[in-house]
Amino acid sequence: MKKTLALTLTLVVLLFSYVLQAQNLVNNPSFETVTAEPYWGCEIINATGWLNPSGGSCPNNGTATPDLFSTFSTGQAVLPNTFMGTTNAHTGNRIAGIVTYHAQLTNYREYLMTRLTCPLVPGETYTVSFWSTGGNPVQYVYHTNNIGVYFSTNALTQTNYNLIPAITPQLEITTLVANTTWTYYSFTFTPTQAYNYITIGNFRNDANTQKQNFG
């Protein structure tokens, strides 16, 4: 039986928009359920079920803070014209964003993580899919490759804003992702363990990351 893990994401910003096929094992996949609207943009934990591996609070420049953008924001996180650039949500009113490379801070990374609604079943085949866009950025933005999806039995922990070390993602886009419109990515995955968590981001260091300045 094929099951689906569907997200919405934007690239570096990396945004996720929602696709629903079969049984979706990702909680709140399009970030539409929130405890409060974002103001600064870095309040990803306002999206119910989504976690920040660094544990950083917003705003805090000393730790990684993945972003949440919303049409209902009253601050710099308002769609479609956010502080990072211009884009509309693929569906609904919200998107999430992560930085996969930072020109001024070595190996700066942001990751999106959530606990699945139930553990993956070893030997079963799953579809893992998401929508991504770089939007039309006005500042800070680099497009990169190495957009990775990592499944784990336990939650990952990130130190400050540093690369999470010693991680090899089971799924990865190794070519440069420089799309400015919403683009769909889909993979199949057969787990060997009963994984509980999914984490998305760049798990390679700067030296092994291809990047392109955009905006």
Side-chain angles (χ1 to χ4, degrees):
M1 173 175 58
K2 183 177 282 191
K3 297 180 181 177
T4 297
L5 297 160
L7 320 175
T8 314
L9 168 113
T10 303
L11 270 179
V12 308
V13 272
L14 189 66
L15 311 175
F16 295 104
S17 224
Y18 181 33
V19 179
L20 176 61
Q21 303 170 12
Q23 178 188 1
N24 197 337
L25 303 185
V26 176
N27 277 303
N28 194 17
S30 61
F31 313 99
E32 290 301 295
T33 303
V34 296
T35 56
E37 295 295 344
Y39 180 88
W40 300 103
C42 43
E43 301 99 328
I44 188 59
I45 59 174
N46 287 11
T48 302
W50 288 92
L51 307 169
N52 179 3
S54 77
S57 59
C58 179
N60 185 342
N61 293 327
T63 57
T65 49
D67 294 314
L68 178 68
F69 303 107
S70 170
T71 59
F72 302 112
S73 171
T74 58
Q76 63 180 21
V78 63
L79 292 174
N81 300 310
T82 77
F83 74 98
M84 290 293 284
T86 301
T87 190
N88 288 296
H90 182 265
T91 59
N93 293 290
R94 297 174 186 85
I95 57 178
I98 60 173
V99 173
T100 59
Y101 168 79
H102 196 299
Q104 284 77 44
L105 300 172
T106 301
N107 290 330
Y108 180 100
R109 298 291 183 268
E110 292 178 351
Y111 299 94
L112 290 168
M113 181 173 68
T114 189
R115 187 182 180 102
L116 303 174
T117 59
C118 62
L120 300 187
V121 178
E124 280 205 19
T125 299
Y126 294 81
T127 297
V128 184
S129 59
F130 57 85
W131 290 88
S132 170
T133 180
N136 293 294
V138 293
Q139 59 184 349
Y140 307 137
V141 173
Y142 281 75
H143 290 163
T144 75
N145 64 344
N146 300 338
I147 308 307
V149 179
Y150 183 69
F151 293 93
S152 58
T153 54
N154 298 309
L156 298 185
T157 300
Q158 180 184 18
T159 302
N160 300 325
Y161 54 70
N162 298 307
L163 172 77
I164 299 178
I167 295 293
T168 301
Q170 293 93 340
L171 306 172
E172 191 173 40
I173 303 173
T174 57
T175 56
L176 185 71
V177 179
N179 43 307
T180 57
T181 59
W182 284 104
T183 302
Y184 181 67
Y185 294 91
S186 183
F187 307 86
T188 57
F189 176 59
T190 304
T192 57
Q193 299 181 47
Y195 298 119
N196 292 299
Y197 289 86
I198 182 173
T199 305
I200 300 98
N202 181 3
F203 295 94
R204 311 289 179 175
N205 62 23
D206 287 353
N208 291 296
T209 295
Q210 181 184 0
K211 46 266 184 188
Q212 174 181 301
N213 191 354
F214 188 83

